[in-house]
Amino acid sequence: MKIQAHRLVQDDGRAIDTLASPHAGGTIRPRFLVVHYTGGSSAAGSIAWFRDPASKVSAHLVIARDGGITQMVPFHREAWHAGASRWGPLTGLNKHSIGIELDNAGYLVKSGGKWVSPLTRRSYPESDVTVAVHKNDPPGSAPSGWHAYSAAQIEAVLACGVALFAHYELADVLGHDDIAPGRKRDPGPDFPMESVRARLLGRADNRPERCRTTARLYVRDGPGPGFAALPGTPLPLGTEVEVLTKQGAWWQVDVVGEVNGVMDLVGWSHSKYLEQIDV
């Protein structure tokens, strides 16, 4: 796939299906790709909602269960997918990102022995459900059900993501639950974010992202300033770390080598003070 005139096209030049949403803002220069689940029961239903003048929501792309892609907003225009959101110093990620909605029911509850969407009341077989704790849930939380993504959807995300990253030189792929962690839970635990991120950023799946500190930086025993600083911190300027996982602006890191007399230092730091390095 490739980008022509801010629209997604096949390599042979054939256009992707386009159904325009009326909900689009001004010109943007996208820096991130943000992944969502629709929470609905079908791609067609979500597309219809994004075209409804009353909805006041939209996305650049909608990806159906079979991997079919529909574009609804040109990539250089603001789509209304992120809402109140923040990533590092940026707020209002609609103005800084391309939004992809995947046809997926998302969070499911057990009712009458079946996994059911609390929004649509549609039930799903066990084979289509992942049982897991969301990364933003408090420690000790009970696992929930999550509608599984299809292989075709993940391949479609990768195919269009590669084109978008190359054309717009995007910096990262994020979940809605990264940029609005207290408010949103999509794309949820079944979406293979770290694997997708590795592919889109050009890393092998088993190769961790490596960063260096841009200031003296505390490593804490949890993702937030209220958690205790670990022994051996603050890290000196220029310390190298490997990123293990991300929870909003807080990243769990493994400090490379010995620092301040401490080995095997693993904890959480604010990503504002980390810059990616090539290894």
Side-chain angles (χ1 to χ4, degrees), residues 19-76:
L19 290 170
S21 169
H23 309 301
T27 301
I28 64 170
R29 184 176 181 180
R31 297 176 58 185
F32 302 100
L33 183 64
V34 176
V35 181
H36 307 256
Y37 58 56
T38 60
S41 58
S42 71
S46 297
I47 290 168
W49 178 238
F50 292 156
R51 300 187 76 194
D52 188 328
S55 73
K56 306 300 182 185
V57 290
S58 61
H60 292 93
L61 301 176
V62 176
I63 300 180
R65 301 289 296 174
D66 65 0
I69 302 172
T70 300
Q71 183 158 2
M72 305 201 72
V73 177
F75 298 125
H76 71 312

Side-chain angles (χ1 to χ4, degrees), residues 1-8 29-30 75-76 98 160-170:
M1 293 184 181
K2 55 188 176 182
I3 312 299
Q4 291 182 349
H6 304 291
R7 296 191 180 276
L8 190 65
R29 184 176 181 180
F75 298 125
H76 71 312
I98 292 168
C160 64
V162 166
L164 290 167
F165 268 68
H167 189 87
Y168 294 104
E169 299 182 342
L170 301 181

Side-chain angles (χ1 to χ4, degrees), residues 218-248:
Y218 283 97
V219 179
R220 301 183 180 276
D221 63 2
F227 290 90
L230 297 177
T233 66
L235 304 178
L237 172 69
T239 301
E240 293 190 10
V241 301
E242 292 183 343
V243 180
L244 302 179
T245 189
K246 298 181 179 182
Q247 185 167 318

Side-chain angles (χ1 to χ4, degrees), residues 186-251:
D186 52 317
D190 189 71
F191 187 79
M193 181 60 79
E194 291 308 316
S195 176
V196 168
R197 177 177 286 118
R199 292 275 296 275
L200 295 183
L201 293 177
R203 302 193 305 269
D205 283 0
N206 62 351
R207 180 180 170 189
E209 180 180 356
R210 184 169 287 203
C211 297
R212 68 166 60 92
T213 60
T214 60
R216 284 165 50 86
L217 183 61
Y218 283 97
V219 179
R220 301 183 180 276
D221 63 2
F227 290 90
L230 297 177
T233 66
L235 304 178
L237 172 69
T239 301
E240 293 190 10
V241 301
E242 292 183 343
V243 180
L244 302 179
T245 189
K246 298 181 179 182
Q247 185 167 318
W250 287 86
W251 295 0

